[in-house]
Amino acid sequence: MSGVAEDRHGEQGLATDEAGPLRLYWWNGKPNFGDAINPDIVASVSGRQVVWASPAECDLLAIGSVLGFGPVRERLESREHPLPYIWGSGVLNLRPALDAGPELPSRIKALRGPFTAQRLPGYSGPFGDPGLLVSRIQPAVSARSGIGLVPHHQQWNEPAQIDQLRSAGFRLIDVRLADPWEVVRQIAGCEAVISTSLHGLIVADAYGIPNVWLDGLDPFKFYDYFYSVRRGDRRARSLSEALHEVETGAARAADRDVVAEVQRQLVEAFPRELCARARQERSMQ
């Protein structure tokens, strides 16, 4: 588990049991803070130590567009029991719905948004990305300054594009940093955020920081998330459009009350069976 989880929760505050730590799958193919905050978010809600596990062995799927990944799809369609729980996960596109057995609906506790739900017929629970819970772990920054620009991790492979963005004078935030919570702190310290990274927008919404969706990626997952917090964004903006919105005060964060309600629903929806207290209670019966 990362050092942040130890700092925030303390080794004494995270429970283990005879079954071992909670096994969570998250995508770690490339450094990306939106995926790397997974274990600390889950640890903060479950009260348990969290370790990475493969899709074939995990107890839980959480932050990220992981539901369409081949190995994850294989597990969910295998009808092997028990299936992992799903808490706030999403898909990347509207490919054919998962061909899963009758057990799956009972294992879905939350989905990122309604576009993902179209891949999982019959789901009627809460929507939201657990990345919104960062503000419950990392305190808000008291003094904010500057416009933060958050490129998606794929864009860092294009030096010319990054140099162009850097020359525009923005506060460039690298989502690939080894400490994902440093990325969160940098975003939380901005007066406004412009982002092609979905979790750049999600973290800004969590702290109530005005933000603008910058063009550069397929919009599917963005619309999926926006619906969950009732954002009305209809399209991504060009860099000049985004800067204009920030400078004129037109940039907005998702409504604070809506975000707070989604946060509450996500915490309540977390599978109780995976929480330390529930497991301790069962062991005493």
Short mmCIF file of all heavy atoms in Angstrom, two decimals, residues 8-30:
data_model
loop_
_atom_site.label_atom_id
_atom_site.label_comp_id
_atom_site.label_asym_id
_atom_site.label_seq_id
_atom_site.Cartn_x
_atom_site.Cartn_y
_atom_site.Cartn_z
N ARG A 8 -2.54 8.75 6.01
CA ARG A 8 -3.91 9.20 6.22
C ARG A 8 -4.64 8.34 7.25
O ARG A 8 -5.43 8.83 8.01
CB ARG A 8 -4.69 9.14 4.90
CG ARG A 8 -4.11 10.04 3.82
CD ARG A 8 -4.17 11.49 4.21
NE ARG A 8 -3.36 12.26 3.30
CZ ARG A 8 -2.84 13.44 3.59
NH1 ARG A 8 -3.02 13.97 4.77
NH2 ARG A 8 -2.13 14.08 2.72
N HIS A 9 -4.39 7.05 7.22
CA HIS A 9 -5.20 6.16 8.04
C HIS A 9 -4.41 5.53 9.19
O HIS A 9 -4.99 5.14 10.19
CB HIS A 9 -5.78 5.03 7.17
CG HIS A 9 -6.32 5.54 5.89
ND1 HIS A 9 -7.34 6.45 5.82
CD2 HIS A 9 -5.96 5.31 4.60
CE1 HIS A 9 -7.59 6.74 4.55
NE2 HIS A 9 -6.76 6.06 3.81
N GLY A 10 -3.08 5.41 9.02
CA GLY A 10 -2.25 4.82 10.06
C GLY A 10 -2.32 3.31 10.03
O GLY A 10 -3.37 2.73 9.80
N GLU A 11 -1.20 2.65 10.26
CA GLU A 11 -1.19 1.19 10.22
C GLU A 11 -2.16 0.61 11.23
O GLU A 11 -2.75 -0.44 11.03
CB GLU A 11 0.23 0.68 10.50
CG GLU A 11 1.18 0.84 9.32
CD GLU A 11 0.78 -0.01 8.14
OE1 GLU A 11 0.00 -0.96 8.30
OE2 GLU A 11 1.25 0.27 7.03
N GLN A 12 -2.34 1.29 12.39
CA GLN A 12 -3.22 0.75 13.41
C GLN A 12 -4.69 0.86 13.01
O GLN A 12 -5.55 0.20 13.57
CB GLN A 12 -2.98 1.48 14.75
CG GLN A 12 -1.56 1.34 15.27
CD GLN A 12 -1.17 -0.10 15.46
OE1 GLN A 12 -1.94 -0.89 15.99
NE2 GLN A 12 0.04 -0.45 15.01
N GLY A 13 -4.98 1.75 12.06
CA GLY A 13 -6.38 1.97 11.70
C GLY A 13 -6.88 1.08 10.59
O GLY A 13 -8.05 1.12 10.25
N LEU A 14 -6.00 0.30 9.97
CA LEU A 14 -6.39 -0.55 8.87
C LEU A 14 -6.38 -2.01 9.32
O LEU A 14 -5.37 -2.52 9.79
CB LEU A 14 -5.44 -0.36 7.68
CG LEU A 14 -5.47 1.03 7.05
CD1 LEU A 14 -4.43 1.13 5.96
CD2 LEU A 14 -6.84 1.38 6.53
N ALA A 15 -7.53 -2.65 9.18
CA ALA A 15 -7.68 -4.01 9.72
C ALA A 15 -7.34 -5.08 8.69
O ALA A 15 -7.52 -4.90 7.50
CB ALA A 15 -9.12 -4.21 10.19
N THR A 16 -6.83 -6.19 9.19
CA THR A 16 -6.69 -7.38 8.36
C THR A 16 -7.47 -8.49 9.05
O THR A 16 -7.90 -8.36 10.19
CB THR A 16 -5.21 -7.80 8.22
OG1 THR A 16 -4.68 -8.01 9.53
CG2 THR A 16 -4.42 -6.75 7.50
N ASP A 17 -7.69 -9.59 8.37
CA ASP A 17 -8.36 -10.73 8.97
C ASP A 17 -7.74 -11.99 8.39
O ASP A 17 -6.76 -11.92 7.67
CB ASP A 17 -9.88 -10.68 8.75
CG ASP A 17 -10.23 -10.48 7.27
OD1 ASP A 17 -9.55 -11.10 6.43
OD2 ASP A 17 -11.15 -9.72 6.96
N GLU A 18 -8.32 -13.11 8.72
CA GLU A 18 -7.73 -14.36 8.27
C GLU A 18 -7.69 -14.47 6.75
O GLU A 18 -6.86 -15.19 6.20
CB GLU A 18 -8.51 -15.54 8.86
CG GLU A 18 -8.36 -15.66 10.38
CD GLU A 18 -9.13 -16.85 10.92
OE1 GLU A 18 -9.75 -17.56 10.11
OE2 GLU A 18 -9.10 -17.06 12.14
N ALA A 19 -8.57 -13.77 6.08
CA ALA A 19 -8.60 -13.81 4.62
C ALA A 19 -7.54 -12.91 3.99
O ALA A 19 -7.34 -12.93 2.80
CB ALA A 19 -9.98 -13.41 4.11
N GLY A 20 -6.86 -12.09 4.81
CA GLY A 20 -5.83 -11.20 4.29
C GLY A 20 -6.39 -9.86 3.89
O GLY A 20 -7.56 -9.55 4.13
N PRO A 21 -5.58 -9.02 3.26
CA PRO A 21 -6.03 -7.69 2.86
C PRO A 21 -7.06 -7.74 1.74
O PRO A 21 -7.22 -8.77 1.07
CB PRO A 21 -4.74 -7.02 2.39
CG PRO A 21 -3.85 -8.13 1.99
CD PRO A 21 -4.17 -9.27 2.90
N LEU A 22 -7.73 -6.65 1.56
CA LEU A 22 -8.71 -6.54 0.48
C LEU A 22 -7.97 -6.51 -0.85
O LEU A 22 -7.05 -5.71 -1.04
CB LEU A 22 -9.54 -5.27 0.68
CG LEU A 22 -10.81 -5.10 -0.15
CD1 LEU A 22 -11.73 -4.06 0.52
CD2 LEU A 22 -10.54 -4.67 -1.57
N ARG A 23 -8.39 -7.36 -1.77
CA ARG A 23 -7.71 -7.48 -3.06
C ARG A 23 -8.46 -6.66 -4.11
O ARG A 23 -9.60 -6.95 -4.45
CB ARG A 23 -7.65 -8.95 -3.48
CG ARG A 23 -6.85 -9.82 -2.50
CD ARG A 23 -6.98 -11.30 -2.83
NE ARG A 23 -8.37 -11.74 -2.78
CZ ARG A 23 -8.78 -12.96 -3.09
NH1 ARG A 23 -7.91 -13.87 -3.50
NH2 ARG A 23 -10.06 -13.28 -3.01
N LEU A 24 -7.79 -5.64 -4.61
CA LEU A 24 -8.39 -4.68 -5.53
C LEU A 24 -7.63 -4.69 -6.85
O LEU A 24 -6.40 -4.69 -6.87
CB LEU A 24 -8.31 -3.28 -4.91
CG LEU A 24 -8.72 -2.09 -5.77
CD1 LEU A 24 -10.21 -2.10 -6.06
CD2 LEU A 24 -8.32 -0.79 -5.09
N TYR A 25 -8.38 -4.71 -7.95
CA TYR A 25 -7.73 -4.56 -9.25
C TYR A 25 -7.85 -3.13 -9.72
O TYR A 25 -8.94 -2.54 -9.68
CB TYR A 25 -8.35 -5.47 -10.31
CG TYR A 25 -7.82 -5.16 -11.71
CD1 TYR A 25 -6.52 -5.50 -12.06
CD2 TYR A 25 -8.60 -4.48 -12.63
CE1 TYR A 25 -6.01 -5.18 -13.31
CE2 TYR A 25 -8.11 -4.16 -13.89
CZ TYR A 25 -6.81 -4.50 -14.22
OH TYR A 25 -6.31 -4.17 -15.46
N TRP A 26 -6.75 -2.54 -10.13
CA TRP A 26 -6.79 -1.27 -10.85
C TRP A 26 -5.75 -1.33 -11.95
O TRP A 26 -4.79 -2.09 -11.89
CB TRP A 26 -6.54 -0.08 -9.91
CG TRP A 26 -5.18 0.04 -9.31
CD1 TRP A 26 -4.09 0.71 -9.81
CD2 TRP A 26 -4.72 -0.53 -8.06
NE1 TRP A 26 -3.01 0.60 -8.96
CE2 TRP A 26 -3.37 -0.14 -7.88
CE3 TRP A 26 -5.34 -1.30 -7.09
CZ2 TRP A 26 -2.63 -0.52 -6.76
CZ3 TRP A 26 -4.61 -1.69 -5.97
CH2 TRP A 26 -3.27 -1.30 -5.82
N TRP A 27 -5.98 -0.54 -13.00
CA TRP A 27 -5.07 -0.54 -14.14
C TRP A 27 -3.77 0.14 -13.73
O TRP A 27 -3.76 1.26 -13.22
CB TRP A 27 -5.69 0.20 -15.31
CG TRP A 27 -4.86 0.15 -16.56
CD1 TRP A 27 -4.70 -0.90 -17.40
CD2 TRP A 27 -4.08 1.22 -17.10
NE1 TRP A 27 -3.85 -0.57 -18.44
CE2 TRP A 27 -3.45 0.73 -18.28
CE3 TRP A 27 -3.83 2.54 -16.72
CZ2 TRP A 27 -2.62 1.51 -19.06
CZ3 TRP A 27 -2.98 3.32 -17.49
CH2 TRP A 27 -2.39 2.80 -18.65
N ASN A 28 -2.66 -0.54 -13.95
CA ASN A 28 -1.35 0.03 -13.63
C ASN A 28 -0.36 -0.16 -14.77
O ASN A 28 0.84 -0.25 -14.56
CB ASN A 28 -0.81 -0.57 -12.33
CG ASN A 28 -0.65 -2.08 -12.39
OD1 ASN A 28 -0.92 -2.70 -13.43
ND2 ASN A 28 -0.23 -2.69 -11.30
N GLY A 29 -0.91 -0.20 -15.98
CA GLY A 29 -0.06 -0.39 -17.16
C GLY A 29 0.88 0.76 -17.40
O GLY A 29 1.98 0.58 -17.92
N LYS A 30 0.48 1.99 -17.02
CA LYS A 30 1.31 3.18 -17.13
C LYS A 30 1.02 4.05 -15.91
O LYS A 30 -0.09 4.02 -15.37
CB LYS A 30 1.00 3.96 -18.42
CG LYS A 30 1.41 3.23 -19.69
CD LYS A 30 1.14 4.10 -20.91
CE LYS A 30 1.57 3.37 -22.20
NZ LYS A 30 1.31 4.18 -23.41
#
